Amino acid sequence: MFSKKSISIMLIIIGVLVVFIAGLLLWRNYFAAKMAAQNPPGAQTGEAPPSSIEAGKKATEKLIEETKNLAAAPGAGNIAQVITVNRVNGDGTKTPEQAVVVAPQSNPISETTGEVLTRDGSAAVANGTRAGDADAPLQSAPIDAGKLPPSSIKLVINPDSIIPAEFTVSAGQAVVLSVNAASSVEIFKFDSPLLAAVAMGLEPRQTLVINFNAPTIIGEYVFYSDFAGHRQFGAVGKMIVQ
């Protein structure tokens, strides 16, 4: 049997623990609300004008030219490559087509259309499908970001931030996005269902690449880390399509 004094001490300890836990929960909710106010959900405002589509084509042409230059450089190895793919037509026939690959196991980018293709090159990827599906943009093998084309976008995820917190692209352009996990596991995602398949899981200090065509709807597209509450701590940013 516990003495009255022991019971009193136990009740005091339990009370202190309850107050402490309640305080933590209140702080977490306050912090999450503050971060949400500082980082409101992205908003899309409509189809891109022809000038934005044209800018996207020019940005893609520049990326392809940069990749071809890297592939032709001495000692390029199998990092950047120019390959031939077979696009499957509506009638089932195949058309040979040149494409560039910026990183091992990343999706090729068509020189003809500027589309990011499935790994086998048979069709354009689907940004809005389920992450990891065969027709989704797929993450590359680990890579040194310094070996990527100069116009690629490079992000670093910390548990409480993403650096840079925003970047701008033109509608429809082929985007080469490298993401580095600075110190812990990270899960990179976009909020918008238009980019549901653009996702990566990273080990600590790992850099991966994913290629995709930017949406043709202009506006802001929020991205974040979906690991262990990192979004609530500030690991969030936005891609601006203009």
Side-chain angles (χ1 to χ4, degrees), residues 1-204:
M1 297 293 292
F2 293 108
S3 67
K4 290 184 178 180
K5 183 177 180 180
S6 298
I7 293 173
S8 298
I9 293 173
M10 289 175 63
L11 290 174
I12 291 172
I13 292 173
I14 292 171
V16 170
L17 286 174
V18 169
V19 171
F20 177 73
I21 292 170
L24 283 178
L25 291 173
L26 287 172
W27 176 85
R28 181 180 178 182
N29 290 339
Y30 166 78
F31 190 82
K34 183 178 179 180
M35 291 306 303
Q38 293 176 351
N39 301 281
Q44 289 82 56
T45 57
E47 286 291 334
S51 59
S52 181
I53 299 293
E54 186 60 30
K57 291 180 179 178
K58 291 186 180 299
T60 301
E61 290 170 0
K62 178 182 178 183
L63 171 68
I64 290 171
E65 190 62 29
E66 290 174 349
T67 306
K68 291 171 73 175
N69 290 339
L70 287 172
N78 63 348
I79 303 301
Q81 299 181 67
V82 179
I83 64 172
T84 299
V85 298
N86 289 303
R87 293 288 292 272
V88 177
N89 304 312
D91 59 1
T93 60
K94 296 181 179 181
T95 301
E97 192 173 307
Q98 291 291 106
V100 296
V101 178
V102 300
Q105 299 180 30
S106 68
N107 296 83
I109 302 169
S110 168
E111 287 189 38
T112 304
T113 65
E115 293 174 301
V116 175
L117 307 175
T118 53
R119 286 258 179 91
D120 63 4
S122 62
V125 298
N127 290 343
T129 190
R130 186 175 57 182
D133 282 356
D135 59 345
L138 303 175
Q139 65 188 35
S140 73
I143 190 172
D144 175 358
K147 298 184 182 296
L148 295 172
S151 60
S152 59
I153 308 297
K154 300 178 177 68
L155 302 179
V156 177
I157 302 183
N158 298 292
D160 60 355
S161 66
I162 298 180
I163 303 171
E166 67 178 57
F167 63 90
T168 301
V169 297
S170 296
Q173 86 171 67
V175 178
V176 173
L177 179 65
S178 83
V179 180
N180 170 262
S183 61
S184 73
V185 171
E186 303 290 355
I187 301 173
F188 178 87
K189 287 185 177 181
F190 278 92
D191 257 347
S192 173
L194 295 177
L195 296 169
V198 182
M200 287 184 281
L202 301 106
E203 297 296 326

